[in-house]
Amino acid sequence: MSDLQELFGLPVFDFPDAGTEVALPTAESVAWRIAVEAYESKVEWEDEFARFLTVVDPSRVRALIVGAWSDVYDTGPDPVVEALAGAADRFPELRSLFVGDISSDQCEISWINQGSLTPLLTAFPGLEEFGARGGQGLELKPVRHESLRRLEIETGGLDAEVVRSVAASDFPALETLDLWLGTSEYGATTAIEDLEPFLTGARLPKLRHLALHNSDMQDQIAAAFAGAPVVARLEVLDLSMGTLSDEGAQALLEGQPLTHLKRLDLSYHYLSEPMEQRVTAALEGSGVELNLDESMFDEWDQDGDWDNRYVSVGE
């Protein structure tokens, strides 16, 4: 994983270390990333955040990124969450928050310790975007949030309880839902039935962009979308980054029309060349932006005794 370069349409700016002579941008013009050394840091994240509050006017900040906290392999962000929630009233204009923008050289995604992030959604009712990286120890409770338009959870393995909590939440304004479901080897326990509320879309009236991807059951997910009611009102369907094979693509082709979509993302896939051609032909002339980049088909040992298809982001 790489660091975020943009959030809420704003370029990312790293809040400088104490004593560093750097001209600071205006508070509202960038997405501020606050981070400390991932290992044996001499300062805690919450201390850097306290310094940030004295240097930058938080009342004008629109986007905030939580980068690495100290000892990310061993500790979760509970103090980070507490510090952010405790200062929520000082961020009246905050519209986007991402927790865990930690690159793979700092900590692999499936080793990032997360925690309960529900207090952040509760503390910031004006958020329009919320994202998190890392599934280990991640907790979310069902909530109602009137303003949230985008929710993204990036993991190498997402626990079904988190999926069920998202499904049980009320997000009347949500337009984009992006879940990296991951693989059972790294903690994914989601079953197809857990995804049913997203496939019906009944509790997400404004959903237009649905990504259920980076999954080791991508064929089953594709088959479920073949008859899913939500598809008719989607603009973007994202089944990328997973183990999608000809079986899943065949189910999509035999299912409901997809020609109304603006974009269909099947990148990082295990489709044979003839199936790629069939999918392309089915959407030709429809105006759908089809992404079939990163074919993994030639690297798949189809004649072996075991299935060696892998998701794009696991460990």
Side-chain angles (χ1 to χ4, degrees):
M1 295 303 304
S2 59
D3 296 336
L4 291 173
Q5 301 299 310
E6 181 181 281
L7 191 69
F8 201 61
L10 300 172
V12 172
F13 183 85
D14 287 297
F15 183 58
D17 295 336
T20 303
E21 295 293 332
V22 176
L24 297 180
T26 57
E28 70 278 8
S29 65
V30 298
W32 296 88
R33 179 164 49 215
I34 304 174
V36 299
E37 292 294 328
Y39 314 105
E40 299 180 356
S41 176
K42 296 180 181 179
V43 59
E44 299 295 332
W45 189 96
E46 53 270 30
D47 296 327
E48 281 295 276
F49 179 63
R51 185 170 64 86
F52 174 83
L53 294 176
T54 68
V55 176
V56 177
D57 181 2
S59 69
R60 295 162 56 196
V61 171
R62 297 179 60 77
L64 192 62
I65 299 169
V66 175
W69 49 88
S70 182
D71 299 321
V72 292
Y73 265 109
D74 301 314
T75 62
D78 290 351
V80 173
V81 172
E82 183 178 355
L84 285 168
D89 62 341
R90 302 183 64 178
F91 289 87
E93 297 300 317
L94 190 67
R95 295 295 178 264
S96 186
L97 176 61
F98 191 96
V99 180
D101 184 26
I102 298 167
S103 61
S104 57
D105 61 338
Q106 295 173 311
C107 185
E108 297 287 356
I109 189 170
S110 292
W111 299 99
I112 297 172
N113 282 278
Q114 277 288 358
S116 177
L117 302 185
T118 313
L120 296 177
L121 289 172
T122 303
F124 294 97
L127 280 182
E128 296 179 14
E129 298 180 352
F130 183 74
R133 181 177 301 159
Q136 184 167 266
L138 177 64
E139 293 182 14
L140 281 175
K141 300 298 182 184
V143 296
R144 180 173 179 85
H145 198 290
E146 301 286 349
S147 303
L148 202 66
R149 294 170 51 198
R150 177 183 178 88
L151 175 62
E152 179 177 8
I153 302 176
E154 302 177 356
T155 79
L158 187 57
D159 189 272
E161 285 301 318
V162 177
V163 175
R164 293 172 193 142
S165 290
V166 173
S169 295
D170 287 317
F171 297 128
L174 197 71
E175 298 173 357
T176 299
L177 177 62
D178 188 338
L179 300 180
W180 297 26
L181 299 170
T183 172
S184 57
E185 293 180 4
Y186 293 104
T189 59
T190 303
I192 285 293
E193 52 265 30
D194 298 317
L195 304 176
E196 184 64 23
F198 309 133
L199 300 175
T200 66
R203 303 189 67 171
L204 299 170
K206 292 193 175 182
L207 191 66
R208 296 295 180 268
H209 180 149
L210 181 54
L212 300 176
H213 56 160
N214 197 49
S215 175
D216 60 6
M217 58 174 185
Q218 207 71 60
D219 281 341
Q220 298 175 55
I221 294 172
F225 271 116
V230 73
V231 171
R233 56 182 168 88
L234 291 180
E235 296 178 354
V236 178
L237 176 58
D238 188 340
L239 302 176
S240 66
M241 302 172 62
T243 58
L244 184 70
S245 72
D246 285 7
E247 178 184 346
Q250 178 71 28
L252 282 177
L253 291 177
E254 293 177 349
Q256 61 191 301
L258 301 174
T259 51
H260 66 286
L261 294 173
K262 291 183 177 178
R263 178 156 53 93
L264 175 62
D265 193 343
L266 304 180
S267 59
Y268 188 95
H269 61 82
Y270 290 83
L271 305 188
S272 65
E273 186 173 344
M275 181 56 74
E276 285 191 55
Q277 293 172 352
R278 286 187 59 194
V279 174
T280 301
L283 298 176
E284 190 173 5
S286 66
V288 179
E289 178 188 338
L290 174 63
N291 188 346
L292 285 169
D293 292 346
E294 291 188 84
S295 172
M296 306 299 291
F297 185 81
D298 290 340
E299 300 183 27
W300 176 20
D301 180 16
Q302 301 165 75
D303 298 323
D305 296 328
W306 51 285
D307 187 348
N308 64 343
R309 286 182 291 164
Y310 304 102
V311 299
S312 176
V313 180
E315 185 177 10

